[in-house]
Amino acid sequence: MKFNTKAIHGGQQHEEATGSVMTPIFQTSTYAQSSPGVHKGYEYSRAANPTRTALENAFASIENGTHGFAFSSGLSAIDCVLRLLKPGDEIITGDDLYGGTYRMFTRLFQKYGLKFKFVDVGEVTNVVDEVSDATKLIWLETPTNPLMKIVDVVGVTNAVKNKNTDILVAVDNTFATPYLQRPLDLGVDIVMHSATKYLGGHSDLVMGALMVKDEKLAKELHFIQFAAGAIAGPMDSFLALRGIKTLHLRMQRHCENGMAVAKFLKEHNKVSNVYYPGLESHPNHEIAKNQMDDFGGMVSFRLKDESKKATFKFLESTKLFTLAESLGGVESLVNHPTTMTHASIPEEERLKIGITESLIRLSVGVEDIDDLLDDLSQALKQ
């Protein structure tokens, strides 16, 4: 199946008892057994639930994986991956990361003996040069949050695997979605999503996802999911399944609108820098062209007036772009990384990589592009 068909039908079967086209919400915790240990594949919903199973099959399908896992949040999905490791193991990751990921790495797992190296992942050599005997995991975002850097996934994966085939490579594919980029096909071991974002698509659920191809790795992740218990519930699983069925339609408009917004901002006299991989001025534009099918709906930019006052004035003046956390819904959102999504990163570290007061991140929705451009135009005039 091609992707548009797979988004609707991939990994899905009509419900057996009634023939229901859409998987029902199995709002149940436990299941009858005909004899001890003899059942229909379900015992207790922490281990498996029919609605979650359907979603996990869909997750695997859209990323061209063999196994998918649904978690109660994106961070709980990352937590599951890190539980594969042991004290003393080392993780190499990007210096431009979602603030919640950075917080989990530095304030939780560092405490438990894991070691983290933060590097500029825009260059393959920056990653490879840091690989040591202790390195067990490479954690990548591409595009990165919020500076929209692009990682050469094939380049990094091949170089790392050439040094040590046992090192796991994981990609947070939240910004790109499998509509635009499928990291498992590029050689990585694990794909992660905050399904709260584009996969759900309607700002009405919180969920994480992992997708893999390797059977042994899948068994390890399922054991951790079962034993730690951070599972997605049946209602949220139902909503995410519904969201995936329109992912391809929404992403087409997100991409169209994202490019139009990026071009508009690039030409505006009050804007200094625009960060969008679809622009030829982006330093990794060629890698993005080769690695992605399009460039998505996430755009970051800076105002020429770098004062907090000017930035806040813009943020308070948009009408269609709602000032809010998160991203990836049908509605357009505007975010101030310094005070919102990346506030947990120490100021010194933020400034080092360029997350300053004047940096603004947009999640460009699927509204009419003329209305969105009018809104940005009037807010920039304030």
Side-chain angles (χ1 to χ4, degrees), residues 102 106 136 206 228 257 262:
Y102 180 91
T106 58
K136 302 300 180 187
V206 175
N257 286 356

Side-chain angles (χ1 to χ4, degrees), residues 191-308:
V191 172
M192 174 266 169
H193 286 267
S194 173
T196 309
K197 315 304 194 292
Y198 286 108
L199 298 189
H202 294 80
S203 302
D204 55 6
L205 62 92
V206 175
M207 184 182 291
L210 295 176
M211 298 81 155
V212 299
K213 282 186 175 181
D214 183 77
E215 184 73 29
K216 179 175 179 291
L217 181 57
K219 286 181 178 177
E220 291 174 347
L221 291 172
H222 180 259
F223 172 76
I224 296 168
Q225 181 193 41
F226 166 72
I231 54 165
M235 182 65 195
D236 283 349
S237 296
F238 176 87
L239 291 172
L241 261 175
R242 185 186 63 175
I244 287 171
K245 290 181 185 294
T246 60
L247 177 64
H248 56 301
L249 301 173
R250 291 182 284 107
M251 288 307 299
Q252 289 170 22
R253 181 58 61 86
H254 284 301
C255 292
E256 292 168 9
N257 286 356
M259 179 65 85
V261 164
K263 288 180 175 178
F264 167 81
L265 291 170
K266 193 173 188 302
E267 298 302 319
H268 202 281
N269 60 11
K270 287 193 175 182
V271 174
S272 61
N273 299 91
V274 180
Y275 304 91
Y276 185 70
L279 296 177
E280 291 185 6
S281 57
H282 190 287
N284 297 119
H285 174 67
E286 290 303 316
I287 294 172
K289 266 174 58 176
N290 292 331
Q291 191 167 278
M292 302 170 71
D293 295 328
D294 209 324
F295 304 106
M298 299 302 299
V299 182
S300 294
F301 69 100
R302 293 184 201 281
L303 297 174
K304 285 182 178 175
D305 184 343
E306 296 191 357
S307 68
K308 184 175 181 178

Side-chain angles (χ1 to χ4, degrees), residues 13 44 52 86 96 139 173 182 193 272 307 314 316:
Q13 296 178 338
Y44 185 62
R52 193 172 87 236
K86 64 182 186 302
D96 180 30
W139 183 270
N173 202 30
R182 291 157 296 282
H193 286 267
S272 61
S307 68
F314 172 84
E316 293 164 356

